[in-house]
Amino acid sequence: MDHSQPYHLYDVDEPAVRDRLGIDIQFLMNVDQGDTQMFDQGIITVDPGESVTPHVHRYSGETFYGLDGEGEIVVDGDPVPCHADDHLVFIPPGVPHYPRNPEDRDGPFRAMFVHSPAVLNGDTYTVDEDGNPADLEK
C-alpha cells in the first residue's frame, strides 16, 4: 500500500469476484493485493437458497453489514438477521458461522464484511454442522 498519501480511493468494481467458500466473494482490500494486515474487507453476494460454507476464523473477528436484501448469518448454529441498512453482525474469532439467504427471499443478499485483523494463510478453516474442522481453507 502506498502511504505517500493520507488516503487511498478504491474502485469497488475493480477487484475480481472469486468463488470462495461456495459463493461469489469480492475482496475490496486484502493482504493478497498488497493492502494492510490490520483488516480486510469485501462484499458477498448470496442468491436465494444458497449459503457460504460453514467456517471459523482462528484469529480474525468478522463483521457483516447488510447492503441489499434480507439475509442471515448463522452463528454457532443460530440464525441472526442481517438485513440491508438494518443490522451489523459481529462474530468473534473461533466461532463457527456462515451467511445464508433463505430460499423464500425474492432476490440476492449482499453484505459487506470486514475481518480484523486481516485473514492470513491458515486463519480460516471449514467446519461441519457440529463445528468440527472439516478441512483447511485460506
Side-chain angles (χ1 to χ4, degrees), residues 18-81:
R18 295 189 261 173
D19 180 13
R20 190 150 179 253
L21 294 172
I23 62 154
D24 289 341
I25 298 178
Q26 182 184 36
F27 279 94
L28 302 176
M29 293 180 65
N30 75 8
V31 177
D32 293 344
Q33 296 165 183
D35 294 312
T36 180
Q37 292 187 8
M38 294 171 58
F39 70 95
D40 62 40
Q41 72 184 74
I43 297 173
I44 60 167
T45 302
V46 188
D47 289 326
E50 291 188 352
S51 66
V52 175
T53 302
H55 61 282
V56 169
H57 304 292
R58 286 177 168 74
Y59 312 110
S60 300
E62 186 167 19
T63 302
F64 289 93
Y65 177 72
L67 298 173
D68 294 312
E70 295 184 353
E72 51 194 29
I73 312 298
V74 179
V75 181
D76 208 13
D78 295 322
V80 177

